[in-house]
């Protein structure tokens, strides 16, 4: 009843605390900061449904409720118990949330890397006593600084790289993508590169999925020891943070090995995938697409999918 159309939303960009979702208000008009566990809520101030919270009106009056979490497992961190859906800050550098027994955290400090460059020949991270996060400081050396900075620029003694010509003179240095953070389901892979206009060493990430957690493993053909890159019979849409890819895909996944080895991606490519959220927002993320997998004995030690083949007991396991 309080909704007015056409919608009138604030012109200023929405500023929410770290780890807080942007959700539509009850009128479906404007983005608002989602209410968190234990906070007051209303149709115009909805709870953070991405974290499984809902607005309970049973114990409140005058159109207000309180955000509660659906039943789920609690989390134990350093001897302290957190409820399902509860946000907490174990250190000044992390904002975390308990979601059905699992803890997810958002870094509050930037973990970027910085490469020496003409405008900052001697970068150094400094911890200030009144600040939680370290900050980059560009120190001036006794020399011009170009000796250090030139290590990543093309050697041209006749000309020093100008600030507006950094990318042209940059010697691109890029590491290989790291292994996917999860053995099944959506994970994260990372690498470090200076392939950018500032020729600055930065960390970039991509989404990755070695295999879905409910992916049926095919049996290897007679005479073969592994199923390397099976494809799903039907196309699928990727899901990430409550949002779904706008188009469907038939990606290759890594299968299984019958001789005790593990199967991981060997050759991959990276492509942009567009996601659409329930609120109508769109965003793009880089994502890994598998071209080929290989079987080997260098298995990830923290990968639970291989525990059955290696019969390794973990600390705290019961016999």
């Amino acid at each position: 009843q309080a909704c007015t159309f056409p919608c009138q939303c604030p012109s200023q960009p929405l500023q929410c605390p770290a780890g807080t979702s942007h959700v539509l208000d009850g009128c479906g008009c404007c983005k608002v900061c989602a209410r968190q566990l234990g906070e007051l809520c209303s149709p115009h101030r909805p709870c953070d449904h991405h974290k499984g919270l809902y607005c309970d009106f049973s114990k409140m009056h005058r159109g207000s409720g309180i955000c509660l979490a659906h039943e789920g497992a609690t989390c134990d961190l350093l001897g302290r118990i957190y409820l399902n859906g509860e946000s907490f800050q174990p250190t000044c550098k992390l904002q975390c949330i308990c979601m059905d027994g699992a803890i997810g955290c958002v870094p509050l400090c930037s973990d970027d890397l910085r490469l020496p460059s003409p405008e900052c020949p001697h970068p150094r991270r400094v911890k200030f006593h009144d600040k939680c996060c370290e900050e980059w400081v560009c120190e001036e050396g006794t020399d011009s600084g170009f000796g250090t900075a030139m290590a990543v620029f093309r050697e041209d003694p006749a000309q020093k790289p100008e600030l507006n010509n950094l990318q042209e003179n940059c010697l691109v240095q890029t590491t290989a993508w790291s292994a996917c953070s999860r053995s099944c389901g959506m994970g994260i892979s990372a690498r470090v590169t200076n392939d950018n206009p500032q020729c600055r060493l930065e960390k970039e990430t991509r989404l990755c999925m070695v295999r879905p957690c409910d992916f049926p493993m095919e049996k290897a053909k007679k005479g073969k020891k592994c199923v390397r890159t099976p494809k799903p019979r039907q196309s699928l849409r990727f899901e990430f943070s409550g949002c779904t890819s706008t188009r469907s895909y038939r990606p290759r996944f890594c299968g299984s090995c019958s001789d005790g080895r593990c199967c991981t991606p060997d050759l991959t490519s990276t492509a942009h995938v567009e996601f659409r959220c329930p609120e109508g927002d769109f965003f793009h993320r880089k994502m890994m697409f598998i071209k080929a997998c290989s079987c080997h004995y260098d298995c990830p030690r923290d990968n639970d999918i291989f525990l059955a083949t290696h019969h390794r007991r973990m600390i705290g396991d019961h016999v």
Side-chain angles (χ1 to χ4, degrees):
Q1 295 178 354
C3 296
T4 57
F5 297 98
C7 299
Q8 295 182 350
C9 301
S11 58
Q12 297 295 328
L14 191 62
Q15 299 290 335
C16 299
T20 300
S21 303
H22 296 188
V23 297
L24 285 173
D25 59 19
C27 298
C29 280
C30 308
K31 287 293 184 68
V32 295
C33 297
R35 311 297 285 178
Q36 303 302 303
L37 185 70
E39 294 181 346
L40 293 178
C41 54
S42 69
H44 290 282
R45 298 181 298 171
C47 300
D48 199 336
H49 62 86
H50 291 296
K51 299 176 181 176
L53 303 180
Y54 68 96
C55 195
D56 182 9
F57 294 96
S58 62
K59 300 178 182 179
M60 304 300 290
H61 302 284
R62 297 180 182 178
S64 295
I66 188 169
C67 288
L68 298 179
H70 295 286
E71 284 192 33
T74 58
C75 301
D76 184 355
L77 180 64
L78 300 177
R80 182 169 178 179
I81 303 298
Y82 297 94
L83 301 176
N84 179 39
E86 182 177 358
S87 296
F88 58 96
Q89 203 170 327
T91 71
C92 62
K93 296 184 177 182
L94 291 174
Q95 179 71 42
C96 303
I97 182 173
C98 171
M99 295 190 69
D100 197 16
I103 296 176
C105 297
V106 176
L108 301 178
C109 298
S110 173
D111 61 348
D112 63 323
L113 302 173
R114 185 155 189 174
L115 192 70
S117 59
E119 79 270 22
C120 187
H122 301 285
R124 188 167 67 92
R125 296 195 79 159
V126 177
K127 177 71 172 70
F128 295 97
H129 67 87
D130 58 339
K131 295 183 179 179
C132 173
C133 303
E134 295 177 337
E135 296 183 3
W136 283 108
V137 173
C138 296
E139 294 185 339
E140 293 292 338
T142 54
D143 57 1
S144 65
F146 279 101
T148 305
M150 286 292 289
V152 294
F153 291 95
R154 302 184 189 282
E155 294 183 8
D156 185 2
Q159 181 183 4
K160 294 180 180 180
E162 300 295 336
L163 295 183
N164 60 356
N165 206 24
L166 290 175
Q167 194 169 28
E168 182 179 339
N169 292 299
C170 185
L171 288 176
V172 175
Q173 302 177 49
T174 304
T175 65
W177 288 102
S178 66
C180 193
S181 61
R182 294 188 61 181
S183 59
C184 72
M186 194 70 78
I188 298 291
S189 176
R191 71 176 180 181
V192 175
T193 181
N194 66 335
D195 189 7
N196 52 63
Q198 293 77 30
C199 192
R200 181 178 297 170
L201 201 61
E202 294 178 342
K203 180 181 178 181
E204 64 177 355
T205 60
R206 65 177 180 177
L207 301 176
C208 54
M209 184 183 293
V210 178
R211 59 183 67 82
C213 292
D214 57 352
F215 192 59
M217 292 296 185
E218 300 179 19
K219 292 184 178 180
K221 295 180 180 178
K222 189 175 182 179
K224 292 191 175 183
K225 294 183 178 180
C226 62
V227 179
R228 291 188 177 177
T229 51
K231 275 190 174 184
R233 291 191 174 95
Q234 296 180 342
S235 59
L236 56 85
R237 294 181 186 271
F238 296 116
E239 293 185 2
F240 176 66
S241 189
C243 306
T244 307
S245 61
T246 54
R247 55 165 290 196
S248 57
Y249 299 85
R250 282 196 67 204
R252 293 180 180 272
F253 295 121
C254 288
S256 58
C257 308
S258 60
D259 57 355
R261 294 183 296 172
C262 51
C263 192
T264 58
D266 184 49
L267 183 62
T268 67
S269 63
T270 305
H272 286 271
V273 174
E274 183 182 57
F275 289 86
R276 184 181 188 277
C277 302
E279 292 82 15
D281 282 352
F282 292 85
F283 65 89
H284 292 82
R285 286 289 185 274
K286 291 180 179 179
M287 183 152 186
M288 176 190 78
F289 285 87
I290 299 172
K291 291 185 175 181
C293 300
S294 63
C295 293
H296 54 83
Y297 290 105
D298 186 20
C299 301
R301 295 188 60 83
D302 58 346
N303 208 334
D304 57 353
I305 199 168
F306 305 119
L307 293 182
T309 57
H310 284 260
H311 301 286
R312 290 190 293 106
R313 291 216 328 256
M314 307 297 287
I315 297 175
D317 280 2
H318 297 283
V319 178

